[in-house]
Amino acid sequence: MKILSLTGKIKLLTGLHIGGGDDTMKIGGIDNQVIKDPLTKLPYIPGSSLKGKMRSLLEWDNQLAGLNNGSPFSSEKLSLASNKDNAQTLLKLFGDANNKKEPEYAITRISVGDSFLSQNFKDDYKDGKITVSEAKYENVINRSSGTAEHPRQSERVPAGLSFDFDIRVKVLDGDDENALKAMVERGLELVEKDYLGGSGSRGYGRVE
């Protein structure tokens, strides 16, 4: 077995929101907070968010989205794939939890770690030079009156910050290493072209 490692930085081109789930109500406070490291209280990008976004976009990219009734593409639908080789590579890379018979799809090849704020920004935050969150008001426009209704505040990580990512890929005997690498790179390219996190249709989550 061989383990490949890809490290780099995710730079925010626009504000990023990945929800943290707040079970408290604060009058006049943030309605929709971002996820934060419980130890440092700094925002981070969960590995599950990046991995899930990559898989979803790759399924669309390979005409696999929708073949499994809204659930992630599985080997049970492999015969419906227009490009079987790419579909098999995707299943090997991300795994197929529903497949109990074919071991080649049972082992997830990719491991995506949580992405934490880059050290230079941690230092700048500690020195009081930057802020790592911003509150943005969102509302709904009444089509008849043209007035804003239901104002609420969403917390975002501001543009300009960067996070360090670490992706690792297991290459097992019989795997096509180049195909696995190419699919990871394509997945990251698609995230760059689309968005990460929530509210992408409003311009959030553009990354590089």
Side-chain angles (χ1 to χ4, degrees), residues 158-173:
L161 300 185
S162 69
F163 296 80
D164 299 326
F165 73 83
D166 182 356
I167 296 175
R168 300 177 188 184
V169 178
K170 300 183 186 75
V171 182
L172 306 181
D173 291 343

Side-chain angles (χ1 to χ4, degrees), residues 9-196:
K9 294 184 183 296
I10 299 173
K11 180 180 178 181
L12 305 189
L13 304 181
T14 63
L16 172 73
H17 177 84
I18 296 178
D22 190 7
D23 59 1
T24 62
M25 294 287 289
K26 304 179 184 68
I27 297 175
I30 299 288
D31 298 307
N32 198 9
Q33 295 188 343
V34 298
I35 192 167
K36 296 181 178 72
D37 184 326
L39 296 178
T40 65
K41 307 304 181 185
L42 294 174
Y44 71 100
I45 299 173
S48 57
S49 295
L50 179 56
K51 179 185 173 186
K53 187 67 176 184
M54 289 173 63
R55 178 169 188 162
S56 175
L57 291 173
L58 284 166
E59 289 190 13
W60 280 102
D61 194 45
N62 289 284
Q63 291 97 43
L64 301 173
L67 295 183
N68 202 27
N69 300 317
S71 297
F73 178 73
S74 73
S75 54
E76 295 174 353
K77 306 295 181 181
L78 198 54
S79 62
L80 302 177
S82 57
N83 187 322
K84 190 173 180 180
D85 288 342
N86 282 359
Q88 288 177 315
T89 298
L90 184 141
L91 288 171
K92 287 181 179 181
L93 189 62
F94 293 98
D96 182 5
N98 295 324
N99 193 313
K100 308 299 182 184
K101 299 178 181 178
E102 299 174 77
E104 63 177 328
Y105 302 135
I107 301 175
T108 302
R109 308 302 199 271
I110 193 170
S111 170
V112 183
D114 293 339
S115 299
F116 296 101
L117 196 64
S118 299
Q119 188 60 51
N120 60 312
F121 290 112
K122 286 182 181 178
D123 293 339
D124 286 346
Y125 174 72
K126 185 178 179 181
D127 294 339
K129 296 178 181 178
I130 63 169
T131 181
V132 295
S133 68
E134 61 184 7
K136 185 175 184 298
Y137 273 99
E138 301 284 354
N139 54 57
V140 176
I141 302 299
N142 184 297
R143 270 48 172 179
S144 298
S145 65
T147 57
E149 298 179 342
H150 313 302
R152 62 194 182 279
Q153 289 189 80
S154 283
E155 187 178 26
R156 305 195 310 177
V157 183
L161 300 185
S162 69
F163 296 80
D164 299 326
F165 73 83
D166 182 356
I167 296 175
R168 300 177 188 184
V169 178
K170 300 183 186 75
V171 182
L172 306 181
D173 291 343
D175 286 345
D176 185 334
E177 179 178 335
N178 290 330
L180 291 171
K181 288 166 62 176
M183 186 156 285
V184 172
E185 291 168 355
R186 178 60 176 163
L188 291 173
E189 179 187 3
L190 290 169
V191 172
E192 279 191 316
K193 291 182 176 180
D194 197 53
Y195 63 88
L196 189 60

